[in-house]
Amino acid sequence: FLMGVAVARLPRRKAFGLFILLGLALVPLAPTVLGDLESSLRPQWALNRALEWGGPSALIVWGALSLESVFESRLFQPGVSIGDASYSIYLFHPLVSYGFDLIWPLRVALAMGTGMTIYILVERRIMAARRRKGAKALTDFAHERGPCTAAQT
C-alpha cells in the first residue's frame, strides 16, 4: 500500500517506462514468488516480502503509469482492466489465496478472477453511485444558492 502511495507521487516521463522491464527482470529473483507462499507470509518476513514483491511491482506500476498514453490501445485492454480492478483484487485475494489448497498459479488466477468479479458487480456500482450522489449534491447546492451575482463573487 505504501509503495503505491509513493509511486503515485513520483514523476512520470516516458523514459521511466523502462522500469517495467527492470521490475519484470527482478520478479524471478524474489525467491518467495516461486517458493513456499505460506511460509513467506509469516509476520517475520514482512519486510522481505515488501521488498521482494513490492519493489518489482512498484517499478512495473511506475513504468506503466509513465507510459499511460501507450496503454490506451485496445491491445492493452486486458491489462488495463486488471489494473482498474486492482483494489478489489487486493482486498479479496486473501479469501481465495488462503481458502484453497491449490498450487500458487491457480490461487493467483482464482484471486484475480474473484477480484475482477467483485470489481464489476460491486466496486463499479459503488463508484457510479458516488458520482451520481456527488453530481446531485452539486446541483442541489447550486439550486439552494440561486443565481450568482457579481456582488457575491
Side-chain angles (χ1 to χ4, degrees), residues 44-56:
Q44 65 267 30
W45 296 106
L47 182 59
N48 284 4
R49 188 173 61 247
L51 295 174
E52 291 173 353
W53 296 354

Side-chain angles (χ1 to χ4, degrees), residues 92-104:
F92 286 90
H93 84 276
L95 299 175
V96 176
S97 295
Y98 309 135
F100 297 98
D101 187 23
L102 302 169
I103 60 173
W104 73 265

Side-chain angles (χ1 to χ4, degrees), residues 5 13 15 52-53 60 65 69 72 75 78 89 97-98 110-111 116 120 124 140 145:
V5 171
R13 293 179 183 77
E52 291 173 353
W53 296 354
I60 292 167
L65 287 172
S69 62
E72 290 175 358
L75 174 69
I89 294 169
S97 295
Y98 309 135
L110 190 57
M116 294 286 292
I120 291 166
R124 283 199 320 198
D140 291 348
R145 289 204 52 193

Side-chain angles (χ1 to χ4, degrees), residues 36-46 49 53 97-98:
D36 179 14
L37 183 65
E38 268 56 283
S39 65
S40 71
L41 293 175
R42 293 189 185 126
Q44 65 267 30
W45 296 106
R49 188 173 61 247
W53 296 354
S97 295
Y98 309 135

